[in-house]
Amino acid sequence: MTPQQFIAKWQRADLSERSACQQHFLDLCELLGQPKPAEADPDGAWYTFERGVRDTAGAQGWADVWMKDHFGWEYKGKHKNLEAAYTQLLRYREDLENPPLLVVCDLDRFEIHTNFTRTAKVVHRFNLEGLAEPENFDKLRKLFTDPDALRPGLTTESITKQAAELFGKLADRLRLRGEEAHAAAHFLMKLMFCMFAEDVRLLPEKLFTRLLQSSKADPRKLTDRLRLLFTAMARGGDFGADEIRYFNGGLFNDSDVLELKREDIDELLVITGYDWASVEPSIFGTLFERSLDPAKRSQIGAHYTSREDILTLLEPVVMTPLRREWAEVKAECDKLWAEVKTKGKAPGGMTKGAPKRITGPAAKMQRKLIDFSERLAHVRILDPACGSGNFLYVAINLLLDLNKEVISYAQTRDLGLFPQVRPTQLAGIEINPYAQELASVVIWIGYLQWMIQNGFTPNSNPVLEPIETIQLMDAILDLSDPEHPKEPEWPEADFIVGNPPFLGDKLMRGGLGDEYVSKLRRHYDGRVPGGADLCCYWFEKGRDAIKRKRIHRAGLLATQGIRGGANRVVLESIKESGDIFFAVSDREWILDGAMVHVSMVGFDDGIEKVGKTLDGHDVAEIHPNLTAGAAITNALVLPENQGISFLGSCKGGSFDIPEHEALELLRVSGNPHSKPNSDVLRPTVNSRDLLQSRTYRWIIDNAELTLKEACLFERPHKLVVERVKPSRDENRNEWLRTNWWRPQRMRPAMRQAVQSLNRFLVTTTTSKHRLFIWVQQPILPDHQLIVFATSEDYMFALLHSRIHQIWALSQGTQLREKESGFRYTPTTCFETFPFPAPTDAQRAEIAAAAKELDELRTNWLNPPEWTREEILEFPGSTDGPWRRYISSPQPPVPSPSPTIATVRYPRLVPKDEECAKELKKRTLTNLYNQRPTWLDNLHRRLDAAVAAAYGWPADLAEEEILGRLLELNLGRAKNQA
């Protein structure tokens, strides 16, 4: 049969649907050269006419044609309503195993609706005559041979992003005209919802588009017409010849309209061309919020959090216990169903409106299914930092999916149910007014989208309801009475989920203001440490709500820093009053359009005894540092380790000076008190200097001087007055303003501890490679370094050993991801570390291994053939910071001045410019990135020597090492108590 023959035959046909549909399909098979159902699948298991199904209302139905994993096909008589046929297929879709294509046909018209997951919905339409076109003929053939070829190129994400960007341009134009930002946002939300309502047929067909098109020439008319439309949507009723549903929901409580210009209308017509039925609410809220909020406008093109990311938290926190409940209910219903079948009587159909009266096991089964469906309808979910509603939208979709699973199960047992889950079960707290209003709109769009796409008819009286539980308020501090701050009460809920704001401790005052942060910390004093990040306050609120039985279970995101330091205290509190049942220690996440790394934590009152998961693995216990295995967070500070490690100095101002300026000042004399400037000038190093560069920096160090004493060093003091004082005068900190000439925290205890040592150890607070480096007096380490008051090679080896590295990594705070290293904190990483008790021979071997590592590493950094020794000479006090380099004392200066002598300070410098270029590549970071064989061998020797001192094998697994170290720690702490 040719296409022309097929067209001619069926143009003449005037048969009813029942009489014609199978013959029409058989002719198509012959035309397309495809097998017919009976010959391809005699049993009708995967390709058949009249496939029996249950629709979403529980009624028995029949799909006209079905091919597994290809299509579902529904026929109607000529000129009948194909939209009704498509709706019918949507109701059959699940029982047809969700085929990728849904086809409706009235013998004269064909519509192929795509049904691929996570893609835009596309409809291919053509009539009988269009079958002669090769493109349409090929589409029909691909139904049988290659359905994936009809997969839409546009994803729901790309449609959503493009639509939001266009709305952003319109929002910008309105703001430039002076429209109030929130009024413009509210108006645009109403327009956006109208586009969605039009595309899902909640508004009459193309009503909104027709309205725009007919008003292009006269924008004033559009203003009046939109006002009438919004009024009709608020109450329900007539709009011209069209009948409008009752929408309400708060969005249309007012009929306010902003005047649009012709170019705005043209923009809106472009936007209406997008398939608004296919927008992805889980990202649309974020993108639309960026369009509306001027503060977030720059993030329009940035990344957004995906639905899959949100599911990572919601599935274990919200859905796991609900699925367990459903599994128990289903198991009970399976037993009851077995009894029903034994008696040979099915319950009979139960419709939404009037269920048949049933008794016995069937009645009990029905009651259990209805009760669980009602249970889902009363699950309360709170997002206390809800933003534009992304977490809540995904949450209600998960509840609806589970509700549908219950409905599908009931259908197979001749019982009909209807989705009971509603958006009004959700609650949110948000401080941004744009996001707070948008959250309700996003949630309702997602809900209506789900109902329509799953073949259910949404409620229509009203279509929307206000979600009054999404509140505009501060979630952690109520300042309605500024003089008496109090803690806001969160709504009661079954589950808390969300993504609290990420703001580090050091940035809180700049981001929130001194007064707010001071009140916040005072109110939570004793519960959240003063140095904790902002997100920790949400964790504490959640813990407290669970303890008071207002919340059952919580899942929140945090900065990775929550695993260590002051932040970890809130997780320790959670473990004390309840427990952590789920965690992801390190996951990429989108924050304000940028990629960051976060931790996810699920916690409760301790009722979850099974099913604990950490990083996707089942574990028996999750510790406050989000690890399993040895509970090293229980490790105690050992007295023998105290007084050795210190934080480096913190300047708190521009006390640094370049080397050329320092060398000039060192040689200047003539101070009124005859003391040399070298008394207040010394080299300083930070982590970059030690690991990545070879620069020399100096500092004006007058931390221990009074203002009267400091000003006697005239030239250095003049620099402090010029470079430091102006910013100190504006500083919020009273001490810094009052002591403007002094560096901020110069760590007198640290300086005292290393004063008598010719060299001492330092390590960086954060780095990819955990390295320990010798520094010589009078170099001053800055706040990015940890200082160890020791000059022993033995200590160098112990700290560099694999055993200490493993302990420090587990006790420190991880950075962005594991490859970036971790933050080394002296109290947790060093003061808790149990050192071995070696024999004299073992100690000597450890020291020898350390000495060899240091020597070869130093030679690699400064090859003798590329360097030369340079001696800096300048005056210095014999009792000053440079005294170890003093030679050739000068005659004593009359009292009370100190003795002045010549400082001869040696250091290595490049031999020439070529050597200088090569030496720039010789950094510790580069060395350990390459980790040549000789370096690896040295570390292996060192590790083996240290392991032998513990009496352990050198290749012991990390978890075993942590367990043994913890045992040593607790044993020594007990003995030393």
Side-chain angles (χ1 to χ4, degrees), residues 138-404:
D138 187 57
K139 288 174 183 174
L140 285 177
R141 177 177 284 138
K142 283 184 167 62
L143 289 172
F144 297 84
T145 62
D146 186 14
D148 204 56
L150 296 178
R151 182 186 295 272
L154 273 179
T155 63
T156 55
E157 286 83 356
S158 62
I159 286 178
T160 305
K161 186 174 180 180
Q162 292 171 24
E165 285 175 348
L166 289 174
F167 257 114
K169 294 177 183 177
L170 185 54
D172 282 347
R173 284 206 295 272
L174 291 175
R175 281 194 288 270
L176 287 173
R177 288 180 210 147
E179 300 288 359
E180 194 274 323
H182 194 267
H186 182 69
F187 174 58
L188 291 176
M189 284 183 216
K190 290 192 284 190
L191 296 182
M192 177 265 294
F193 187 83
C194 287
M195 294 178 188
F196 170 77
E198 176 181 89
D199 281 2
V200 297
R201 305 292 194 271
L202 290 174
L203 282 175
E205 186 170 2
K206 295 298 178 183
L207 172 67
F208 188 70
T209 302
R210 286 187 275 117
L211 197 63
L212 295 174
Q213 288 171 337
S214 64
S215 305
K216 281 199 302 183
D218 190 353
R220 291 183 182 178
K221 285 184 180 179
L222 181 61
T223 302
D224 296 334
R225 290 170 178 173
L226 285 176
R227 187 175 292 113
L228 291 173
L229 176 61
F230 294 163
T231 300
M233 293 176 77
R235 304 171 185 168
D238 294 333
F239 176 71
D242 294 301
E243 185 174 346
I244 305 298
R245 299 181 191 223
Y246 170 30
F247 282 88
N248 192 21
L251 185 60
F252 297 100
N253 273 350
D254 65 73
S255 57
D256 295 346
V257 176
L258 300 183
E259 283 197 23
L260 297 172
K261 297 186 180 299
R262 178 154 190 167
E263 60 266 28
D264 303 331
I265 299 174
D266 290 337
E267 191 85 72
L268 284 172
L269 281 167
V270 174
I271 299 173
T272 58
Y274 287 98
D275 179 10
W276 282 87
S278 297
V279 296
E280 175 49 59
S282 68
I283 63 172
F284 181 76
T286 297
L287 298 178
F288 200 61
E289 181 189 353
R290 293 173 185 173
S291 300
L292 302 180
D293 188 347
K296 297 189 176 183
R297 186 70 179 86
S298 62
Q299 299 171 17
I300 277 287
H303 298 285
Y304 43 80
T305 301
S306 70
R307 178 189 178 96
E308 287 69 27
D309 288 331
I310 296 170
L311 286 173
T312 305
L313 183 71
L314 293 187
E315 278 288 353
V317 173
V318 176
M319 298 312 296
T320 292
L322 293 177
R323 293 191 204 285
R324 276 204 296 257
E325 288 183 43
W326 168 230
E328 293 172 3
V329 170
K330 191 160 62 169
E332 294 171 359
C333 289
D334 284 342
K335 292 179 182 177
L336 293 168
W337 180 242
E339 292 184 44
V340 171
K341 289 193 295 184
T342 300
K343 294 181 179 180
K345 292 182 180 180
M350 183 184 72
T351 65
K352 179 187 173 187
K356 291 183 179 180
R357 180 174 177 79
I358 56 177
T359 59
K364 292 180 182 177
M365 180 179 65
Q366 174 185 319
R367 185 71 264 160
K368 288 183 179 296
L369 293 173
I370 291 174
D371 286 348
F372 187 72
S373 192
E374 286 291 329
R375 156 77 172 122
L376 294 178
H378 289 87
V379 170
R380 298 158 301 170
I381 300 176
L382 167 66
D383 184 345
C386 71
S388 51
N390 296 357
F391 272 76
L392 294 175
Y393 155 74
V394 177
I396 196 171
N397 263 245
L398 290 172
L399 291 180
L400 285 163
D401 287 342
L402 184 54
N403 202 170
K404 182 179 175 182

Side-chain angles (χ1 to χ4, degrees), residues 863-882:
E865 63 271 24
W866 293 355
T867 59
R868 63 181 176 81
E869 185 176 76
E870 176 186 76
I871 305 294
L872 296 180
E873 295 190 358
F874 48 87
S877 300
T878 55
D879 61 350
W882 296 90

